[in-house]
């Protein structure tokens, strides 16, 4: 395309993304799927719990299921082309616990995502907690989806999604402060039978810290990285490992992760801070050689050049239902066709204009910022150098300092999450065991994977604690959300929830107010 025409198209798309249409009266701003449609690569799937992805979309975004009576409610937008009506969720889920049971497709193709069924690598998944990821978008309180392991969504019978070497693209807005090396936090095209029949049968954008081809070459920095899951490999380039030393990952709270693949011989991955700036191209070049995973094997029915997509859609899991990935999801789309870079840039400008943001959880000390890392130091005179840590899955306190080993300091470092059962409260996720949280069981504290409430009805509440002012006047105390007379306590160096006097030895009233008071400190491990 001649340079002048190309420049006009770029400026036009950016103007549309930021200011609206070219008609005299100001019309609704073009949203991601309007932009991709204008560029000739329409969305065939559009999923979000936070906002409409078409300017004229005025339908339902997602469905929540509440545990108190087993009923569901659809959550829509506040206005056409607008933000999610999170207040409807708040009122439906008040005084009970909700999961996200369905994410509706806005594209009109009916490509909704339901909780994923069993696959080769695991039993049916669980729904993600509905209120664990409260953020703001466009100044409105909305909810993203926070995935622990064993949570995922899928549609094995889609319409319009690329199959067998057809071109496509996808992006998701995810988070750089909640990711792990488990397989596989993906959004995109996967197998229709939830198995792994061979290379090239998937084409999904992946976000995580697994350097899949580390045996062959580097991944730069610590990630998490935007990668492509093309089946039997998380790719940062055609060689698998990274060929771009300036890409060290995306640690921003909100991250745009993008993948496009022409289905025949070319793919590209891009990333951005989803709140500002433009896209960074991680890789733009040839798809991997067909024998990259099996050098002795020549070309076959399987392989990446061309691709062999099957057209299912997954979110939060691998193609064969591998369930170890954790992550966050706010919005995502899939297109038919290979979009222009100009369209990608306009979409990123529109995402940044949303102004995704997060804020501290209320209560005391009021500075427990979701996503931040903290350590929790005891205040009892015996033990003011002791911190809450996990050890062999148990929760204990032990004397630690900045000169302790990295392992010990990591065991005592917790990522603050909005309460899995109540977003005004908090849950503490282990830094070195992402997806595992402090929870009580028979009043004893453990570090355990969060498995969702279908598998364990108390899993969310047992891992949710409400911060209040420290009972001895120092720091904070953490009240159990489901046993309100009990607070996180150390007793004989072990972690419990305990009341001020009661039937268990650890409810002993002596030094209770000191034992339940904790100083929230900077993380012992960064
Ligand atoms: O490609 C990585 C993973 O490998 C896929 O998501 C999964 O289907 C397989 O186990």
């Amino acid at each position: 395309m001649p340079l002048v025409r190309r420049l006009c198209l770029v400026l036009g798309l950016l103007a549309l993304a930021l200011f609206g249409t070219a008609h005299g009266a100001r019309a609704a701003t073009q949203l991601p799927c309007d932009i991709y449609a204008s560029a000739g690569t329409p969305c065939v799937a559009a999923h979000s719990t936070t906002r409409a992805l078409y300017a004229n979309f005025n339908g339902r975004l997602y469905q929540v299921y509440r545990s108190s009576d087993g009923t569901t409610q659809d959550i829509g937008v506040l206005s056409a082309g607008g933000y999610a009506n999170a207040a409807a969720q708040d009122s439906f889920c008040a005084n009970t616990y909700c999961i996200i049971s369905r994410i509706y497709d806005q594209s009109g193709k009916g490509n909704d995502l339901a909780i994923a069924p069993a696959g080769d690598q695991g039993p049916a998944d669980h729904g993600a907690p509905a209120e664990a990821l409260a953020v703001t978008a466009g100044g409105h309180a909305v909810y993203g989806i926070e995935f622990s392991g064993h949570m995922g969504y899928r549609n094995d019978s889609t319409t319009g999604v690329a199959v067998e070497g057809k071109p496509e693209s996808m992006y998701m807005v995810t988070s750089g402060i909640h990711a792990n090396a488990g397989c596989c936090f993906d959004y995109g095209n996967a197998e229709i039978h939830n198995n792994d029949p061979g290379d090239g049968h998937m084409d999904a954008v992946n976000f995580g810290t697994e350097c899949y081809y580390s045996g062959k070459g580097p991944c730069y920095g610590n990630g998490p990285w935007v990668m492509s899951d093309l089946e039997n490999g998380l790719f940062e380039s055609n060689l698998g490992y990274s060929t771009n030393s300036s890409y060290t990952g995306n640690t921003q709270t909100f991250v745009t992760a993008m993948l496009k693949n022409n289905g025949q011989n070319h793919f590209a991955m891009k990333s951005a801070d989803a709140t500002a700036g433009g896209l960074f191209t991680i890789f733009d070049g040839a798809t991997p050689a067909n024998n990259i995973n099996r050098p002795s094997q020549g070309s076959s029915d399987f392989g990446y050049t061309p691709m062999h997509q099957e057209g299912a859609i997954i979110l939060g899991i691998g193609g064969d239902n591998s369930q170890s990935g954790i992550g966050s999801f706010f919005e995502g789309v899939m297109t038919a066709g290979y979009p222009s870079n100009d369209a990608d840039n306009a979409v990123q400008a529109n995402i940044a204009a949303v102004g995704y943001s997060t804020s501290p959880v209320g209560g005391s000390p009021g500075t427990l910022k979701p996503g931040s890392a903290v350590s929790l130091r005891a205040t009892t005179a015996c033990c003011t150098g002791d911190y809450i840590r996990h050890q062999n899955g148990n929760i204990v306190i032990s004397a630690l300092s900045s000169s302790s080993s990295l392992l010990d300091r990591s065991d005592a470092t917790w990522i603050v999450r909005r309460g899995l059962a109540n977003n005004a409260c908090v849950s503490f996720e282990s830094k070195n065991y992402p997806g595992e949280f402090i929870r009580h069981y028979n009043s004893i504290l453990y570090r355990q994977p969060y498995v969702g409430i279908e598998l364990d009805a108390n899993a969310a509440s047992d891992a949710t604690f409400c911060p209040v002012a420290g009972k001895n006047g120092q720091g904070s105390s953490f009240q159990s959300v489901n046993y309100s007379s009990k607070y996180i306590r150390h007793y004989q160096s072990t972690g419990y929830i305990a009341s001020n006097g009661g039937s268990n030895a650890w409810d002993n009233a002596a030094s209770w107010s000191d034992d339940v008071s904790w100083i929230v400190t900077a993380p012992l491990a960064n």
Side-chain angles (χ1 to χ4, degrees):
M1 187 187 296
L3 186 62
V4 174
R5 217 177 126 210
R6 206 174 128 73
L7 274 173
C8 289
L9 185 61
V10 177
L11 291 172
L13 282 167
L14 278 172
L16 286 172
L18 293 169
F19 306 120
T21 73
H23 301 300
R26 183 185 166 88
T29 300
Q30 285 222 329
L31 300 185
C33 287
D34 306 310
I35 295 165
Y36 279 135
S38 303
T41 48
C43 292
V44 290
H47 301 111
S48 177
T49 54
T50 66
R51 65 167 181 147
L53 297 167
Y54 292 85
N56 66 1
F57 181 79
N58 201 9
R60 42 193 198 169
L61 294 174
Y62 63 103
Q63 180 193 70
V64 289
Y65 163 96
R66 75 178 168 202
S67 58
S68 53
D69 60 3
T71 59
T72 59
Q73 163 126 349
D74 289 337
I75 306 299
V77 286
L78 292 166
S79 60
Y83 292 90
N85 181 6
Q89 173 182 322
D90 291 338
S91 100
F92 181 72
C93 300
N95 305 316
T96 179
Y97 177 73
C98 282
I99 57 167
I100 292 176
S101 41
R102 201 169 187 89
I103 308 159
Y104 293 109
D105 173 24
Q106 301 177 29
S107 78
K109 302 269 185 207
N111 292 329
D112 301 346
L113 297 175
I115 296 170
D120 266 9
Q121 290 302 312
D125 288 86
H126 303 292
E131 56 175 48
L133 194 50
V135 299
T136 59
H140 299 270
V142 295
Y143 293 99
I145 314 178
E146 183 169 286
F147 292 75
S148 294
H150 302 269
M151 293 175 185
Y153 298 85
R154 189 169 198 127
N155 185 332
D156 282 332
S157 178
T158 62
T159 305
V161 177
V163 293
E164 277 300 336
K166 295 274 192 317
E168 66 179 339
S169 81
M170 67 224 65
Y171 83 80
M172 67 172 159
V173 175
T174 182
S175 175
I177 60 171
H178 185 225
N180 71 353
C183 176
C184 289
F185 188 74
D186 291 347
Y187 174 65
N189 198 324
E191 294 92 345
I192 56 175
H193 297 298
N194 316 338
N195 59 357
D196 171 4
D199 302 351
H201 282 244
M202 290 181 65
D203 184 32
V205 65
N206 171 272
F207 192 65
T209 55
E210 181 178 7
C211 184
Y212 195 97
Y213 285 97
S214 58
K216 294 189 174 182
C219 295
Y220 295 99
N222 297 320
W225 300 284
V226 173
M227 298 177 279
S228 51
D229 188 346
L230 308 182
E231 190 51 279
N232 297 315
L234 304 179
F235 293 84
E236 285 198 66
S237 74
N238 60 321
L239 302 176
Y241 55 85
S242 179
T243 52
N244 187 342
S245 59
S246 56
Y247 182 56
T248 55
N250 287 89
T251 56
Q252 299 93 347
T253 304
F254 299 94
V255 173
T256 306
M258 195 177 271
L259 164 67
K260 49 188 189 175
N261 192 324
N262 76 1
Q264 295 299 308
N265 53 19
H266 197 104
F267 76 141
M269 285 160 278
K270 303 179 187 183
S271 75
D273 178 341
T275 67
L279 288 160
F280 173 84
T281 300
I282 300 160
F283 179 80
D284 189 345
T287 40
N290 282 345
N291 66 350
I292 183 171
N293 293 331
R294 284 162 276 274
S296 58
Q297 181 183 306
S299 70
S300 70
D301 289 344
F302 305 115
Y304 307 106
T305 306
M307 295 287 292
H308 301 279
Q309 312 101 302
E310 297 191 19
I313 304 175
I314 52 170
L315 172 59
I317 47 178
D320 55 8
N321 197 34
S322 292
Q323 300 171 306
S324 306
I326 68 168
S328 309
F329 181 86
F330 301 96
E331 61 176 78
V333 312
M334 297 174 69
T335 69
Y338 192 87
S340 65
N341 289 333
D342 301 340
D344 295 341
N345 293 339
V347 165
Q348 165 61 13
N350 177 265
I351 294 168
V354 166
Y356 278 109
S357 96
T358 188
S359 53
V361 179
S364 176
T367 50
L368 286 164
K369 195 169 184 206
S372 65
V374 298
S375 290
L376 300 166
R377 185 170 63 74
T379 61
T380 314
C382 63
C383 317
T384 54
D386 286 11
Y387 290 80
I388 295 183
R389 67 171 292 178
H390 63 84
Q391 200 160 39
N392 302 322
N394 299 310
I395 300 296
V396 297
I397 58 166
S398 54
L400 294 169
S401 69
S402 54
S403 49
S404 302
S405 74
L406 178 61
L407 179 67
D408 286 341
R409 287 184 287 119
S410 301
D411 288 353
T413 298
W414 305 96
I415 311 298
V416 176
R417 300 290 174 207
R418 287 194 184 267
L420 294 167
N422 179 337
N423 70 41
C425 304
V426 295
S427 294
F428 292 108
E429 184 174 5
S430 164
K431 177 180 169 64
N432 51 356
Y433 286 78
E436 302 202 14
F437 290 80
I438 296 178
R439 74 164 287 179
H440 62 85
Y441 190 86
N442 288 337
S443 295
I444 303 170
L445 295 179
Y446 299 95
R447 186 207 77 219
Q448 273 190 6
Y450 178 62
V451 294
I453 54 158
E454 295 101 320
L455 208 61
D456 177 347
N458 300 319
S461 323
D462 288 355
T464 300
F465 304 94
C466 302
V468 297
K471 293 291 179 184
N472 67 354
Q474 297 182 56
S476 303
S477 291
F478 299 100
Q479 182 183 31
S480 159
V481 80
N482 50 352
Y483 292 87
S484 58
S485 66
K486 302 191 179 207
Y487 295 76
I488 290 183
R489 173 184 195 170
H490 64 92
Y491 184 78
Q492 296 183 347
S493 296
T494 299
Y496 299 96
I497 52 165
S499 51
N500 190 0
S503 51
N504 300 309
W506 54 84
D507 296 325
N508 192 335
S511 82
W512 179 86
S513 58
D514 289 336
D515 293 352
V516 298
S517 299
W518 306 91
I519 304 295
V520 178
T521 72
L524 282 170
N526 277 310

